[in-house]
Amino acid sequence: MSEPSGPRPTLEAVAALAGVSRATVSRVVNGGRGVREPVQERVRQAVHELGYVPNSAARTLVTRRTGAVAVVIAEPETRVFTDPFFGRQLRGISRELGAADTQLLLMFVEHRADYDRIGRYLSGGHVDGALMFSLHRDDPLPAMADRAGLPTVYGGRPGWAGADRAPRPLYVDTDNRDGARQAVRHLLGRGRRRIAVITGPLDQTSALDRLDGYCEALGIPAADPRLLADGGFTASGGERAMAQLLDSAPDLDAVFACSDLMASGALRTLRARGRRVPDEVAVVGYDDLEPAAWADPPLTTVRQDVEEMGRLMARLLLRLLEVQRADGTPGPVPAPGTGGARGTAATRTAGARRPNPMQLAPVITEARLVVREST
């Protein structure tokens, strides 16, 4: 490649060196079809020799694609940057998008007013698609993506109004019910009988599904209110919830906290109250992120591969965009109801079997109990 020592190389210069027309160079550079492989190779060689870099603004005008994806997390940035779950998921997303030469644009919801800003941006043609997670039941983000015709993949089972109507949303989730069942059955197997649960916000499907799994394992239609507390998926919330449970049910002998952060908060409260873990109270968390192994005692927890879930979300979206390109769709999916590529049946993964990212269907990953000293 030649060293840059003058004006920036132009499309015309590449065409002259390759011995082809300007239009042919444009098609090759922008991923168009209809150019024979030997000609493509000559153009690529000329691009390399000249050090030509496509103008992103002009490229967007030609392809109606930006090479960027919005990652929208429906939480304040203070929570995102203090919860290792989000960092792990973003790492998976970033690595997958980076390998596909696609930029990541990160957006948070700090206040209700942020929804208007995010909606305007998503509908403004600035990104090719979106990845959204940590959504709540009344979240307007899915409707915004639909109105914008923006290809979107969600993190977590959809629970918003209208999510069950066709076309069904694409999403990646873990088997939250089964993970919760494994946790509670493990506690029952250790002889525990007064098992409390610390949930996340019940307007999120992950928290709701884990509570349902807890009830299923115990064989009860609903949780005993004295053994139920909301910890908000935060460490401080886990502390408060554990204190509430000890006050309402002092004879409890185990607690299933629906995230490792809440479990770490519960451990602090138990220590402050003089309750020995696991001798007097056994504790199980959920996620198996780094703090679980660092806890005192190390935390029994349910493992979900958060980074891989991020990768899968990005793969599904990239595949959806690839299907659009193959179909000749120049931009976002035109309107709700026309996205026939979306699947309706979830793909489940188990053990070493990996989901097929080429299949446009929701993906449910395996949850697995990891036993440590807290039980």
Side-chain angles (χ1 to χ4, degrees):
M1 184 172 68
S2 62
E3 294 295 326
S5 57
R8 178 175 175 170
T10 64
L11 208 63
E12 289 79 6
V14 174
L17 182 59
V20 298
S21 70
R22 184 184 189 281
T24 297
V25 174
S26 179
R27 282 200 298 274
V28 174
V29 168
N30 293 311
R33 298 181 175 187
V35 181
R36 291 180 294 112
E37 181 58 36
V39 177
Q40 290 187 44
E41 183 56 36
R42 290 210 313 271
V43 171
R44 286 193 288 263
Q45 183 62 33
V47 166
H48 179 74
E49 287 185 20
L50 293 174
Y52 172 75
V53 178
N55 181 288
S56 60
R59 190 173 191 173
T60 298
L61 285 173
V62 172
T63 64
R64 289 185 58 194
R65 296 199 180 277
T66 65
V69 164
V71 177
V72 187
I73 307 177
E75 300 289 351
E77 62 181 66
T78 48
R79 165 138 190 248
V80 172
F81 289 124
T82 55
D83 188 335
F85 174 92
F86 294 109
R88 186 75 71 86
Q89 191 155 34
L90 285 170
R91 183 164 60 187
I93 291 170
S94 177
R95 287 179 174 176
E96 198 68 26
L97 293 180
D101 196 23
T102 300
Q103 303 305 310
L104 181 159
L105 176 79
L106 191 56
M107 308 183 81
F108 307 108
V109 178
E110 194 78 29
H111 308 287
R112 294 294 298 184
D114 290 332
Y115 284 112
D116 289 337
R117 172 181 56 83
I118 292 170
R120 288 194 304 272
Y121 194 88
L122 296 180
S123 62
H126 303 291
V127 293
D128 297 327
L131 300 169
M132 298 182 177
F133 53 96
S134 203
L135 301 185
H136 298 257
R137 185 183 298 122
D138 62 348
D139 213 302
L141 288 169
M144 290 177 178
D146 271 350
R147 284 196 298 271
L150 191 67
T152 303
V153 174
Y154 298 94
R157 179 177 65 82
W160 57 85
D164 55 347
R165 294 196 294 267
R168 296 285 297 278
L170 279 175
Y171 66 92
V172 175
D173 202 358
T174 188
D175 194 339
N176 287 297
R177 283 192 181 214
D178 184 60
R181 285 194 296 263
Q182 291 181 51
V184 177
R185 286 169 181 165
H186 171 72
L187 292 169
L188 290 170
R190 294 294 173 97
R192 309 294 172 153
R193 291 297 177 264
R194 291 282 286 168
I195 303 173
V197 59
I198 300 176
T199 74
L202 293 178
D203 63 347
Q204 292 186 298
T205 55
S206 58
L208 199 58
D209 289 346
R210 290 172 199 178
L211 178 58
D212 287 345
Y214 162 89
C215 292
E216 289 169 8
L218 292 175
I220 56 177
D224 182 339
R226 294 169 298 175
L227 295 172
L228 170 67
D230 181 353
F233 282 142
T234 67
S236 59
E239 284 189 88
R240 291 190 297 271
M242 190 71 250
Q244 174 187 328
L245 291 168
L246 290 172
D247 291 340
S248 62
D251 60 338
L252 64 84
D253 59 6
V255 60
F256 167 46
C258 293
S259 78
D260 288 347
L261 274 185
M262 294 192 297
S264 69
L267 288 172
R268 284 199 291 268
T269 295
L270 289 167
R271 191 177 302 113
R273 294 284 189 98
R275 304 292 288 269
R276 290 173 297 138
V277 177
D279 297 357
E280 296 176 81
V281 180
V283 180
V284 179
Y286 202 111
D287 288 329
D288 195 28
L289 301 176
E290 287 86 350
W294 301 340
D296 182 21
L299 187 65
T300 293
T301 186
V302 178
R303 186 173 195 273
Q304 55 174 337
D305 194 337
V306 179
E307 184 171 337
E308 179 65 7
M309 289 164 67
R311 287 183 180 272
L312 288 170
M313 287 178 65
R315 285 177 198 164
L316 279 176
L317 181 60
L318 291 169
R319 174 56 178 152
L320 182 57
L321 295 172
E322 181 184 327
V323 167
Q324 284 189 354
R325 285 192 290 271
D327 290 345
T329 308
V333 176
T338 62
R342 294 194 177 190
T344 56
T347 299
R348 290 179 178 269
T349 69
R353 193 172 75 245
R354 295 171 64 85
N356 179 5
M358 305 300 279
Q359 180 181 356
L360 287 176
V363 177
I364 308 296
T365 66
E366 181 185 42
R368 179 173 59 85
L369 185 73
V370 177
V371 179
R372 298 192 181 98
E373 287 87 337
S374 67
T375 56

